[in-house]
Amino acid sequence: MKWLMVLAAALLGIAAIAPSQAAARADEERSASVARERSNFNADWRFHLGDAPGAREPGYDDADWQSVGLPHSFGIPYFQASQFYTGYGWYRKQLTVPGAWRGRRIFLEFEGAFQDAEIFVNGNPVGRHRGGYTGFSVDVTAAVRTGENSIAVRVNNLWGPTLAPRAGEHVFQGGIYRDVWLVTTDPVHVAWYGTKVTTPELSERSGRVAIDTEVRNDGTRPVTLSVRTDIHDPADKIVATMNGGAERLAAGGIATVSQRSGPIIAPALWSPETPVLYKAVTTVIANGRPVDRYETDFGFRWFEWTADRGFFLNGKHRYFKGANVHQDQAGWGDAVSNRAMERDVQMMKDAGFDFIRGSHYPHDPHFAGATDRIGMLFWSETPFWGIGGFGADGTWMASAYPVDPKHRPGFEDSVKQQLTEMIRITRNHPSVIVWSMSNEPFFSAGEVMPEVRRFLKELVALSHQLDPTRPAAIGGAQRGEIDKLGDIAGYNGDGSALFPDPGIPNVVSEHGSPMFDRPGPYEAPWGDLVNTPGAAKGVEYSWRLPWRSGEAVWAGFDHGSIVGRRFGSMGVVDYSRLPKRSYYWFRNAYRGIAPPQWPEAGKPAGLRLTSSSPVIERADGTDDVHLVVTVVDAHGRALSNSPPVTLSIESGPGELPTGRTIRFAPDSDIPIRDGQAAITMRSWQSGKSILRVSSPGLKDATLTIETTGGPAFVPGVTPLAPDRPYAEARRTDAEFMYFPDAIFGQDNPTGASSSASGHSSRLVNDGDPGTWWMAGEGDDAPWVSISPEKILQFRRLEITFPQPGNYRFVAEVEDQNGLWVAVADQSATADTAQTRTIDVKHVIGSRLRVRIEAPAGAPAGVADIRIVGAM
């Protein structure tokens, strides 16, 4: 393959264009735009859960397979279960290729498939992609023929020792869970995500645009190539034109055409308050003929991260406040629509937040588009991820970095591949202000931590090479001496108290972690932010010191978790996208909007059914509506009563994750709480869907949703969505995740009643019995705590004190109701051993607290704590 760099002088053409020139340009753009066609490829797939030998072949009989649309996940319907199917799934679909496509290039563009996808066309392998969070493009030109073609995709979500992530507390369900697009182009065309736009020399008074455009010649003959790029302002007025090229491009060659505009006067600057976007319209001309038209949205903005003065956007100081956001939602799991992503971003914006951390993997490209358009700063993260209590390989509970040397090269290649793809896909979004290399990778075996640090440095260097305009962060940097390996340090949990003024630009990338179901308390989950050295005790926001750039609550939304529903329920909004009271606290504090009147118990008389929109505009898997059921009294007032209710689609094309009916019940996986329940509905045909919600003894409610923009739904002819009943704690013959007893505690978040200088609580679980936490002077009731960051059944403790002696203690566990329960009482022991091993009362909970009484003359402290338990 020939690589050709074309450096073009920029020609500025901002002034008025003559009518004849404008007409010629319009004709040229129409011609070029016809040459590139992009259509949604989500509808009419057949799906089989499990492996299916022979399914790649065109003549395979898939008549008994499920009829599904994309986005789709193996686990639908999914409601925060900790267990999920791992194995294979097959997808099949027909592609009709018209004769008019002869001589064109044909691509299937996948936005994401978890996590190992093999693609076949007419039985022939055409591509494979490993990595579940980044998109990929497959050229199927050589494999298709005019007429009908068979597309088959074999996907698996099996854990692999060389495939990132090796660990994490999310769920890892398989499937083609993001959109797929069918793209056809001329042989000479802009490559997949082939534009890179930057805005050098930017100020409020003027700015320039620099654009690198990667052009491919997949034809059989060389061409004379030129490229023109027009910059359109938010009103669609052309404010700059750049011409470049007129170079020979060989068959099979790739050219990178670099262009730079003249000054653009007073560009509208992008910010969360002014999320204005410009557009680069690139026209590729081959042998004097326009052959491709490619559009790239971008924004004018600049930012600066500093170690001593915080963060600046467009020259103005900004302490950003935000939330961590996972991608999954009730019922559909990870397979959410573009519209649902937009609602998520808008909900965080409506709360008064201006920042989202994409935890802990690259998100859908539409998500970054939503943060651009709605106006949210975005932290985009690579899936190098760890989890406390890690053990042997085989599940996503492994060491974040491989212990076995033979797995290391492949794993490092996987992380670097996904970092490279994330940056290529997302680099033009103005909302993205940092690339993150990791989340808590220190949850790796101690013997490989030197390799972790070496590898993080390599990722930072690669990030700088791929995108010199953005810094590289180390996310979850509060352990393992990794926080200063990048440009930005992201401290989670107790890291906000452990690293005051660290001498590097920094952010509290996670604070809070409250385990409350809706409605929860009306308060902000500040966590260890309040313990920031230098903050005034009891003075809200005093932790927002000049050296800190911002903070992000854990979490914006409840999510699925391999360590249990309770652990996944730390959001300020629940899994069904109904706000908890903490959400309203933030909205009141940040936007001045008073909370609604809380519903109270009363005499229920009926139900109310409302929708996020009266219309589903696109019947292609990219749009849906959010449906909310509310229990009301005879006067229409919302009540907190939560009887079982059933929502049904009586007629029309609508589809719920469970099919045509869903039942909500208190204390179930599909809950109604505090008088409300919610779910989303999509549609694959146009027409009216009539919905009814009912509960015994209450007046029904109905609602009509109109779907447009799709094939017509014909009653009695169009197949209805099949029932997909959900069973609590489902089991199948497929393999499920299983977690045996494990040791927890090392490097997990800690807390203490007080800490003496040089004896931080973090030393209680650093794995070194020669270092210890010690209570501060004057602390007459010392205690230290550890959060395993998961729900455990506690079974045994191993406690090491600073020295031998008659240390006495009481160990308590915070149970699922938030109450402290004693699991071991040695308040009257005569034991003088330095290390104690105690079988404890089997209590299920989330945090361990040890209250100690030191012997006379000995330090009131603990050197090491290890927890043995089961999830």
Side-chain angles (χ1 to χ4, degrees):
M1 181 179 291
K2 180 180 178 183
W3 291 83
L4 174 64
M5 291 297 296
V6 182
L7 299 177
L11 300 178
L12 183 62
I14 304 176
I17 301 174
S20 59
Q21 291 177 302
R25 177 170 295 181
D27 289 341
E28 188 178 78
E29 289 193 355
R30 276 193 293 271
S31 175
S33 63
V34 168
R36 174 179 290 267
E37 296 180 345
R38 185 173 188 261
S39 58
N40 184 278
F41 204 61
N42 285 346
D44 302 322
W45 289 82
R46 309 287 289 177
F47 171 69
H48 171 74
L49 184 66
D51 212 354
R56 61 189 281 181
E57 301 300 330
Y60 183 87
D61 184 5
D62 59 15
D64 62 344
W65 287 19
Q66 299 177 44
S67 177
V68 302
L70 308 181
H72 178 266
S73 170
F74 292 175
I76 295 174
Y78 174 75
F79 294 92
Q80 282 191 286
S82 62
Q83 297 174 321
F84 53 93
Y85 168 86
T86 56
Y88 287 88
W90 277 88
Y91 297 83
R92 288 173 50 88
K93 178 178 167 73
Q94 292 298 110
L95 168 63
T96 303
V97 174
W101 286 3
R102 192 181 307 276
R104 295 172 63 76
R105 306 304 295 185
I106 304 169
F107 304 89
L108 291 177
E109 294 186 356
F110 293 77
E111 292 183 347
F114 199 90
Q115 67 178 338
D116 184 349
E118 304 166 81
I119 297 89
F120 306 90
V121 175
N122 297 324
N124 301 308
V126 293
R128 183 179 182 183
H129 184 268
R130 299 179 78 243
Y133 300 110
T134 47
F136 55 98
S137 179
V138 180
D139 188 337
V140 301
T141 310
V144 299
R145 55 179 177 259
T146 300
E148 291 300 304
N149 295 267
S150 168
I151 309 296
V153 184
R154 183 184 189 229
V155 184
N156 78 72
N157 65 331
L158 297 169
W159 182 92
T162 63
L163 188 55
R166 289 169 45 91
E169 52 70 52
H170 199 222
V171 286
F172 301 93
Q173 297 196 21
I176 309 177
Y177 74 103
R178 293 179 181 170
D179 298 325
V180 178
W181 302 90
L182 175 65
V183 178
T184 65
T185 69
D186 186 89
V188 181
H189 58 272
V190 177
W192 175 75
Y193 288 103
T195 54
K196 178 182 179 182
V197 181
T198 57
T199 55
E201 302 176 37
L202 179 58
S203 70
E204 291 183 350
R205 291 176 294 182
S206 72
R208 299 176 187 267
V209 176
I211 181 168
D212 294 337
T213 303
E214 185 181 310
V215 182
R216 300 179 61 96
N217 179 8
D218 289 330
T220 59
R221 297 179 179 178
V223 298
T224 300
L225 170 72
S226 61
V227 173
R228 188 187 68 245
T229 300
D230 294 325
I231 304 301
H232 294 241
D233 71 7
D236 208 28
K237 176 185 175 183
I238 296 176
V239 294
T241 294
M242 297 167 281
N243 291 288
E247 298 286 341
R248 201 74 168 158
L249 179 57
I254 300 174
T256 297
V257 180
S258 297
Q259 300 171 300
R260 187 183 181 96
S261 79
I264 296 173
I265 305 304
L269 299 181
W270 185 96
S271 74
E273 292 72 34
T274 57
V276 293
L277 295 176
Y278 285 69
K279 181 169 59 181
V281 179
T282 299
T283 302
V284 177
I285 301 167
N287 297 332
R289 180 175 66 91
V291 295
D292 196 10
R293 183 178 189 271
Y294 191 87
E295 296 185 0
T296 307
D297 290 334
F298 70 98
F300 287 95
R301 57 94 182 96
W302 76 94
F303 56 83
E304 181 184 11
W305 296 79
T306 73
D308 56 347
R309 296 173 293 116
F311 178 78
F312 293 79
L313 179 65
N314 299 329
K316 299 176 181 177
H317 180 263
R318 183 182 202 102
Y319 185 95
F320 53 77
K321 304 172 289 294
N324 286 259
V325 172
H326 271 301
Q327 62 189 3
D328 56 317
Q329 299 190 12
W332 303 100
D334 289 338
V336 298
S337 74
N338 290 348
R339 183 75 75 186
M341 297 176 210
E342 294 169 6
R343 288 195 301 267
D344 275 2
V345 175
Q346 189 65 57
M347 282 194 79
M348 296 297 98
K349 177 87 169 185
D350 290 346
F353 296 132
D354 59 358
F355 173 87
I356 285 176
R357 180 188 183 203
S359 51
H360 293 295
Y361 39 77
H363 281 229
D364 189 290
H366 192 83
F367 191 92
T371 56
D372 285 348
R373 292 186 300 274
I374 294 170
M376 295 287 279
L377 302 171
F378 186 35
W379 168 302
S380 188
E381 197 149 79
T382 311
F384 181 18
W385 196 357
I387 187 170
F390 60 86
D393 287 1
T395 72
W396 285 275
M397 287 289 293
S399 170
Y401 185 87
V403 177
D404 191 330
K406 71 174 180 287
H407 296 147
R408 295 173 190 173
F411 175 75
E412 292 188 8
D413 287 345
S414 175
V415 177
K416 289 178 177 178
Q417 169 205 316
Q418 293 182 71
L419 172 63
T420 300
E421 290 167 340
M422 176 181 76
I423 291 177
R424 183 179 180 92
I425 291 167
T426 320
R427 62 191 173 185
N428 297 320
H429 292 276
S431 56
V432 177
I433 56 170
V434 64
W435 305 117
S436 174
M437 306 299 100
S438 62
N439 180 63
E440 299 182 346
F442 56 80
F443 283 127
S444 296
E447 64 266 30
V448 301
M449 279 306 299
E451 294 300 306
V452 171
R453 287 186 280 269
R454 186 265 310 160
F455 182 47
L456 286 171
K457 292 178 184 178
E458 290 186 12
L459 292 177
V460 169
L462 177 59
S463 178
H464 290 164
Q465 175 188 335
L466 296 169
D467 181 10
T469 70
R470 292 181 178 90
I474 306 298
Q478 66 274 13
R479 301 288 192 279
E481 298 179 358
I482 62 175
D483 59 319
K484 296 185 179 178
L485 301 180
D487 308 306
I488 314 293
Y491 298 116
N492 295 349
D494 63 349
S496 59
L498 296 174
F499 294 87
D501 200 3
I504 185 172
N506 65 94
V507 57
V508 176
S509 40
E510 293 179 16
H511 72 81
S513 306
M515 293 186 191
F516 291 112
D517 286 331
R518 188 173 53 82
Y522 183 68
E523 61 186 29
W526 296 127
D528 275 298
L529 272 172
V530 300
N531 297 320
T532 299
K537 289 293 184 183
V539 179
E540 213 153 43
Y541 310 143
S542 62
W543 54 81
R544 295 175 182 171
L545 296 163
W547 45 264
R548 179 172 281 165
S549 292
E551 65 199 35
V553 68
W554 185 268
F557 302 93
D558 290 355
H559 64 278
S561 172
I562 63 173
V563 292
R565 187 189 69 78
R566 288 284 299 171
F567 188 77
S569 298
M570 296 184 184
V572 298
V573 177
D574 77 4
Y575 200 50
S576 298
R577 272 33 185 186
L578 293 173
K580 302 179 188 179
R581 292 184 184 178
S582 53
Y583 175 90
Y584 293 114
W585 189 98
F586 282 114
R587 193 180 68 167
N588 186 26
Y590 293 165
R591 297 192 59 213
I593 300 175
Q597 182 177 352
W598 309 132
E600 297 179 353
K603 183 178 181 181
L607 302 168
R608 180 188 301 140
L609 181 59
T610 56
S611 171
S612 58
S613 171
V615 176
I616 298 176
E617 296 176 355
R618 300 178 301 277
D620 61 5
T622 65
D623 196 8
D624 63 11
V625 290
H626 185 239
L627 304 169
V628 178
V629 179
T630 305
V631 179
V632 297
D633 66 12
H635 303 286
R637 289 188 293 257
L639 299 178
S640 61
N641 302 59
S642 299
V645 298
T646 300
L647 172 63
S648 300
I649 302 170
E650 293 193 328
S651 63
E655 178 178 344
L656 303 168
T658 50
R660 301 281 287 185
T661 300
I662 189 168
R663 184 177 185 271
F664 306 96
D667 302 319
S668 78
D669 285 0
I670 310 178
I672 178 171
R673 295 191 182 106
D674 204 34
Q676 282 196 320
I679 199 67
T680 57
M681 182 186 82
R682 20 181 110 153
S683 177
W684 294 97
Q685 298 86 30
S686 61
K688 292 182 179 180
S689 296
I690 299 177
L691 294 81
R692 181 179 298 275
V693 62
S694 60
S695 182
L698 303 183
K699 184 179 179 181
D700 293 359
T702 61
L703 185 67
T704 299
I705 302 294
E706 178 84 19
T707 302
T708 61
F713 175 81
V714 180
V717 176
T718 303
L720 301 178
D723 287 336
R724 291 186 287 267
Y726 177 81
E728 306 279 332
R730 290 175 299 165
R731 293 289 190 275
T732 73
D733 292 334
E735 177 188 354
F736 279 93
M737 306 290 292
Y738 170 70
F739 305 104
D741 283 8
I743 297 175
F744 303 90
Q746 183 165 329
D747 285 335
N748 281 84
T750 61
S753 55
S754 65
S755 296
S757 177
H759 291 275
S760 162
S761 62
R762 64 179 295 197
L763 301 177
V764 81
N765 64 343
D766 63 352
D768 182 358
T771 63
W772 63 86
W773 160 76
M774 187 166 64
E777 187 176 351
D779 187 346
D780 56 3
W783 57 263
V784 67
S785 68
I786 295 178
S787 171
E789 295 191 292
K790 51 191 61 66
I791 305 297
L792 299 183
Q793 184 184 73
F794 287 75
R795 297 187 176 181
R796 190 167 70 251
L797 300 180
E798 297 176 9
I799 302 177
T800 300
F801 295 101
Q803 61 188 48
N806 184 218
Y807 282 89
R808 301 180 179 192
F809 67 89
V810 174
E812 302 166 309
V813 167
E814 187 178 25
D815 71 9
Q816 296 185 86
N817 297 314
L819 302 175
W820 290 101
V821 178
V823 295
D825 187 343
Q826 291 203 0
S827 58
T829 185
D831 198 337
T832 60
Q834 184 174 3
T835 298
R836 319 273 180 86
T837 299
I838 312 104
D839 291 325
V840 302
K841 178 181 177 182
H842 288 191
V843 170
I844 295 174
S846 60
R847 190 158 50 124
L848 174 75
R849 183 173 69 185
V850 179
R851 296 189 284 114
I852 71 163
E853 178 185 346
V862 175
D864 198 35
I865 297 177
R866 298 211 303 174
I867 302 166
V868 177
M871 285 183 290

